[in-house]
């Protein structure tokens, strides 16, 4: 089954972009690299198989309608919903209630993005979701809407931006793109302003029918002069298109304990986790390099019964929170809960196995390669232990180790004095 229909939300006033638009053109018509943002989106959706597009318009709508017409010149059918009164981010869905018979992609008209729609739609179908939200880690989770979900990706709540948060949370931000199944439109009984996330999506969260699809693909607002300049640069140097997961990606694999956080043996509680000096800056460098930042970590404490899987996730969530406070983020987190040697009190027997994921095996790297369409040959490993070097050797990729007194042998890996220099060395020497 293909996703064939989309709703593009282009009714906003774009007040934040006034410096660029001068209030004379609607934000979706702002030209970036010579082309209106909305035109780029329509072409991109068409290329990925979308055949029918509804555009909800309001502010200065005549300009949008005269620019795109019925869509013939783009090879798609376009129709418009004209909002006489502002309907919020979700109210326009009311108009599709009678006609929508298949799943619908909903996306903003004033944001630059390039995502693999088939991949997201496969996730929507495999989870049998009613609504799938596109979520991603960003550099400022503290002033973004953050999505809470269980390990299966089922959404359990939405934290509103600027809400005070006195707890740790994963860096998983709502990007404003979603897929919905037609039966959800029963929600719209009357025509009125609706907030897409806080009214509409939230009403389905309690039913367990909303899933998060986490992806590192490109989606950015260009609403300030600085952001505008960055997005323009990202389009012209090919970054926007390159991050689409239908194209091969590259990653820096990072060990956790002793690499990103201070080595204290195995951790069993969030309190014990302390960021290594320079760790956030190091991850930020990876974030800006075109490489994905992916953790691969052995955590045999779970097999030993010293920490539950849920407890382990809380430790990783603290790590994401601390990094997020400094503008750094992780694209993927993988850990091996197994251990090969059984026969100890308190252990979890089912996890005492010889697995393929425990480093120096390469199972976690291969899983990440599948999830992110990685070209393993272009990936790099950074760790603090001989086991990391052996993992890299087994995967035939280069490795940089952080020098420390526990390290007796380097298995031929490069050495760096700390995490920041390790990332510099890795990207300079092996980055391509
Ligand atoms: Zn394992």
């Amino acid at each position: 089954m293909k996703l064939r229909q989309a709703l593009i939300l282009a009714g906003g006033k774009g007040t934040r972009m006034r410096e660029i638009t001068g209030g004379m053109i609607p934000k979706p018509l702002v030209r970036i690299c010579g082309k209106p943002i909305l035109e780029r989106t329509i072409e991109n959706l068409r290329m990925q198989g979308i055949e029918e597009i509804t555009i909800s318009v309001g502010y200065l709508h005549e300009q949008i309608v005269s620019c795109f017409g019925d869509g013939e010149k783009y090879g798609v059918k376009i129709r418009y919903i004209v909002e006489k009164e502002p309907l919020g981010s979700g109210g326009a869905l009311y108009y599709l209630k009678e006609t929508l018979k298949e799943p619908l992609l909903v996306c903003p008209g004033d944001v630059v993005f390039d995502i693999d729609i088939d991949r997201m739609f496969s996730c929507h179908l495999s989870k049998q979701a009613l609504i799938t939200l596109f979520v991603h880690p960003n550099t400022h989770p503290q002033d973004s809407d953050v999505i809470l979900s269980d390990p299966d990706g089922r959404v359990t709540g939405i934290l509103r931006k600027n809400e005070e948060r006195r707890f740790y949370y994963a860096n998983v931000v709502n990007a404003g793109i979603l897929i919905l199944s037609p039966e959800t439109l029963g929600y719209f009984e009357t025509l009125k302003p609706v907030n897409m996330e806080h009214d509409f999506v939230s009403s389905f969260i309690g039913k367990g029918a909303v899933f998060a699809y986490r992806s590192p693909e490109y989606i950015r607002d260009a609403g300030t002069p600085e952001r505008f300049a960055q997005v323009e640069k990202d389009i012209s140097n090919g970054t926007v298109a390159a991050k689409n997961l239908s194209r091969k990606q590259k990653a820096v694999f990072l060990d956790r304990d002793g690499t990103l956080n201070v080595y204290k043996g195995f951790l069993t509680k969030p309190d014990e986790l302390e960021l290594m000096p320079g760790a956030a800056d190091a991850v930020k460098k990876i974030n800006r390099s075109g490489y994905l930042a992916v953790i691969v970590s052995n955590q045999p404490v779970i097999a030993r019964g010293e920490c539950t899987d849920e407890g382990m996730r809380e430790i990783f969530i603290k790590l994401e929170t601390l990094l997020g406070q400094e503008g750094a983020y992780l694209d993927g987190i993988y850990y091996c809960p197994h251990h090969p040697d059984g026969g100890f009190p308190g252990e979890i027997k089912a996890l005492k196995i010889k697995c393929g994921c425990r480093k120096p095996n390469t199972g976690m790297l291969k899983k990440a390669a599948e999830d992110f369409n990685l070209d393993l040959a272009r990936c790099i490993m950074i760790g603090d232990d001989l086991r990391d070097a052996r993992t890299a050797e087994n995967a035939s990729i280069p490795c940089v180790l952080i020098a420390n007194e526990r390290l007796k042998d380097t298995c031929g890996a490069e050495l760096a004095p700390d995490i920041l220099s390790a990332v510099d060395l890795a990207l300079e020497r092996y980055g391509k």
Side-chain angles (χ1 to χ4, degrees):
M1 188 183 186
K2 282 286 278 185
L3 193 63
R4 301 187 316 113
Q5 298 209 28
L7 169 66
I8 302 178
L9 307 172
K13 273 203 160 172
T15 34
R16 278 196 300 162
M17 219 184 192
R18 197 147 293 221
E19 273 180 82
I20 295 161
T21 63
M24 302 300 284
I25 54 168
K27 192 173 161 193
L29 292 188
V30 169
R31 287 175 179 267
I32 299 195
C33 293
K35 189 179 279 190
I37 297 173
L38 183 51
E39 182 173 344
R40 194 174 295 282
T41 298
I42 292 171
E43 288 176 351
N44 183 281
L45 297 184
R46 174 69 196 104
M47 215 170 58
Q48 298 200 58
I50 299 289
E51 296 167 10
E52 290 177 32
I53 296 175
T54 305
I55 306 178
S56 70
V57 291
Y59 182 63
L60 302 175
H61 64 269
E62 302 85 355
Q63 291 185 35
I64 294 179
V65 176
S66 81
C67 187
F68 301 105
D70 62 4
E72 200 186 343
K73 65 178 165 178
Y74 300 97
V76 284
K77 264 191 215 156
I78 297 180
R79 59 190 187 119
Y80 300 88
I81 294 170
V82 181
E83 297 182 14
K84 295 192 185 68
E85 297 293 325
L87 292 171
S89 47
L93 283 169
Y94 170 85
Y95 289 105
L96 299 181
K97 176 180 164 136
E98 300 302 328
T99 52
L100 189 72
K101 302 291 177 228
E102 48 189 281
L104 178 76
L105 176 76
V106 181
C107 56
D110 57 0
V111 163
V112 172
F113 65 90
D114 190 346
I115 68 168
D116 182 348
I117 295 170
D118 279 345
R119 204 176 176 99
M120 181 177 173
F121 189 44
S122 300
C123 172
H124 179 77
L125 294 175
S126 73
K127 301 285 186 189
Q128 298 184 301
L130 286 183
I131 298 174
T132 299
L133 302 176
F134 183 100
V135 299
H136 61 166
N138 77 3
T139 56
H140 50 96
Q142 54 285 347
D143 60 10
S144 307
D145 274 358
V146 164
I147 305 296
L148 305 173
S149 63
D150 72 10
D152 193 33
R154 195 184 299 270
V155 175
T156 54
I158 302 179
L159 300 175
R160 284 179 186 249
K161 67 172 92 173
N162 304 325
E163 199 173 29
E164 195 183 6
R165 298 168 191 164
R166 292 176 177 275
F167 47 86
Y168 302 127
Y169 53 90
N171 186 340
V172 179
V173 170
N174 183 36
I177 298 178
L178 53 100
I179 294 175
L180 57 84
S181 294
E183 53 268 44
T184 56
L185 298 192
Y187 171 88
F188 297 90
E189 288 174 1
T190 55
L191 184 62
K192 59 174 186 188
V194 170
N195 180 291
M196 185 74 83
E197 284 78 25
H198 301 299
D199 300 328
F200 171 63
V201 175
S202 290
S203 77
F204 289 92
I205 289 177
K207 299 178 178 130
V210 183
F211 283 80
Y213 170 73
R214 182 169 172 160
S215 164
E217 290 164 302
Y218 194 96
I219 164 154
R220 266 187 97 147
D221 175 84
T224 65
E226 302 77 55
R227 286 181 184 178
F228 185 89
Q230 184 62 47
V231 172
E232 192 147 60
K233 200 169 132 197
D234 293 339
I235 290 174
S236 46
N237 68 20
T239 301
V240 177
K243 299 200 86 170
N244 184 303
L245 285 182
S246 66
R247 301 189 175 89
K248 283 287 176 192
Q249 305 295 311
K250 51 190 183 176
V252 174
F253 293 115
L254 296 157
D255 172 55
R256 194 191 76 180
D257 305 321
T259 300
L260 289 180
N261 51 280
V262 178
Y263 184 82
K264 300 177 183 173
F266 284 109
L267 311 185
T268 58
K269 291 189 279 297
D271 287 353
E272 298 161 344
L273 183 126
E274 186 190 335
L275 269 194
M276 200 75 116
D281 286 334
V283 173
K284 261 193 272 189
K285 280 205 169 162
I286 300 172
N287 295 153
R288 292 178 188 146
S289 70
Y291 279 78
L292 302 177
V294 177
I295 290 197
V296 289
S297 170
N298 284 353
Q299 294 298 337
V301 277
I302 304 173
R304 287 191 210 145
E306 292 163 18
C307 180
T308 59
D309 196 57
E310 204 186 338
M312 183 55 63
R313 290 207 303 130
E314 280 169 21
I315 296 173
F316 278 104
I317 284 173
K318 176 174 179 186
L319 177 61
E320 283 202 87
T321 306
L322 297 182
L323 290 171
Q325 284 165 351
E326 299 191 50
Y329 58 87
L330 301 166
D331 294 292
I333 294 174
Y334 297 86
Y335 57 88
C336 163
H338 307 112
H339 194 268
D341 310 323
F344 300 91
E347 68 183 16
I348 314 292
K349 287 234 159 27
L351 296 177
K352 285 285 190 173
I353 54 165
K354 279 200 171 67
C355 65
C357 45
R358 182 172 161 81
K359 294 183 288 185
N361 295 318
T362 56
M364 290 189 281
L365 282 62
K366 287 183 180 144
K367 179 73 173 68
E370 193 184 304
D371 292 348
F372 295 112
N373 195 18
L374 297 176
D375 177 1
L376 267 184
R378 290 164 75 209
C379 296
I380 310 170
M381 178 88 199
I382 296 178
D384 70 323
D385 189 280
L386 179 60
R387 213 183 282 279
D388 299 315
R390 292 242 157 91
T391 309
E393 194 179 51
N394 289 338
S396 306
I397 60 173
C399 180
V400 178
L401 290 180
I402 299 164
N404 63 80
E405 66 283 1
R406 303 178 303 282
L407 199 58
K408 304 289 181 242
D409 180 4
T410 64
C411 196
E414 297 275 348
L415 278 180
D418 53 59
I419 177 64
L420 194 51
S421 0
V423 168
D424 282 336
L425 178 65
L427 294 177
E428 265 166 40
R429 188 150 312 170
Y430 305 113
K432 50 191 164 196

